[in-house]
Amino acid sequence: QVQLVESGGGLVQAGGSLRLSCAASGVIFRSNVMAWYRQVPGKQRELVATITGGGNINYADSVKGRFTISRDNAKNTVALQMNSLKPEDTAVYYCNAISPYGLAYWGKGTLVTVSE
């Protein structure tokens, strides 16, 4: 059974930092593309960052230069370091895994709130 469990969300002032972590189990982690998405109530879920098993990385334009995605294949974890946070970064952040067969798995999400 595949499980993705996010942690690290919380309340932070604008300009501050948070580090999200996602622990994966039940998957061959190294083979999966890992990603972080975020969703604001009433809006579509949007892609924040992706990282392949080989370490290729892509970011949404809105977070480039502020967020850093990383993974530890030995520990089956993926992290999202978020710096210079803005109120518009407030959202529920979801960990996502895509298997080589195209199957998608999601965590339950962790709330990030950035105050003015």
Side-chain angles (χ1 to χ4, degrees):
Q1 182 179 358
V2 177
Q3 276 195 318
L4 301 174
V5 180
E6 302 98 337
S7 61
L11 173 64
V12 65
Q13 285 189 324
S17 298
L18 280 175
R19 183 176 179 85
L20 305 182
S21 185
C22 172
S25 61
V27 294
I28 303 174
F29 186 78
R30 189 185 303 270
S31 302
N32 286 261
V33 175
M34 300 300 298
W36 286 95
Y37 285 74
R38 65 188 181 187
Q39 187 170 24
V40 175
K43 293 189 176 182
Q44 280 193 324
R45 193 169 293 189
E46 66 168 346
L47 179 64
V48 175
T50 63
I51 183 168
T52 68
N56 291 317
I57 292 172
N58 282 290
Y59 295 101
D61 288 342
S62 59
V63 307
K64 280 181 181 176
R66 301 188 298 121
F67 290 11
T68 302
I69 190 171
S70 61
R71 66 190 291 164
D72 186 333
N73 290 333
K75 296 182 178 179
N76 285 9
T77 58
V78 61
L80 185 69
Q81 177 66 41
M82 305 186 294
N83 299 328
S84 302
L85 282 161
K86 304 175 181 179
E88 51 264 43
D89 294 318
T90 295
V92 177
Y93 283 72
Y94 295 92
C95 181
N96 168 263
I98 302 290
S99 78
Y101 307 103
L103 297 175
Y105 304 97
W106 294 92
K108 293 184 178 180
T110 185
L111 177 63
V112 171
T113 304
V114 184
S115 63
E116 297 279 355

